Amino acid sequence: MAAVVLVYDHHVTKLTDKLLHLQHSHLLETVSSLHVHLDHHHCLEVIVLRGSVEQIHRVGDQMVSLKGVHLGRVNLVTVKG
């Protein structure tokens, strides 16, 4: 599992649509998301992904690399059982 943390400018053209498209096109990997308005232009988004490390990095890197994302990190979480 991983938490993808993004801070982005929601006024950048189609950025929000692109983020939603990535989440909806990977429904098996997207577990949940949290959206917070930081100010008039910026939002914080935390997206929880589940899947293989390769899947998580592929989807997370696509989100982080979008134009308008100011801060983006993919934080892997492992649980030993």
Side-chain angles (χ1 to χ4, degrees):
M1 294 196 77
V4 179
V5 179
L6 306 169
V7 174
Y8 63 92
D9 183 343
H10 74 256
H11 287 129
V12 171
T13 305
K14 299 197 184 252
L15 176 57
T16 304
D17 292 338
K18 291 175 185 176
L19 285 170
L20 285 173
H21 174 73
L22 282 169
Q23 290 179 59
H24 285 274
S25 65
H26 299 282
L27 285 176
L28 294 176
E29 294 140 0
T30 302
V31 176
S32 183
S33 65
L34 168 71
H35 182 91
V36 178
H37 301 278
L38 298 175
D39 60 27
H40 183 67
H41 287 279
H42 298 96
C43 295
L44 166 69
E45 189 105 15
V46 179
I47 303 156
V48 178
L49 299 176
R50 178 184 328 199
S52 69
V53 172
E54 294 81 20
Q55 289 174 314
I56 288 170
H57 277 296
R58 181 175 42 84
V59 175
D61 290 345
Q62 288 175 351
M63 292 176 180
V64 168
S65 67
L66 290 171
K67 180 180 178 182
V69 173
H70 299 298
L71 170 73
R73 292 203 177 102
V74 178
N75 302 293
L76 292 173
V77 177
T78 60
V79 178
K80 294 185 180 184

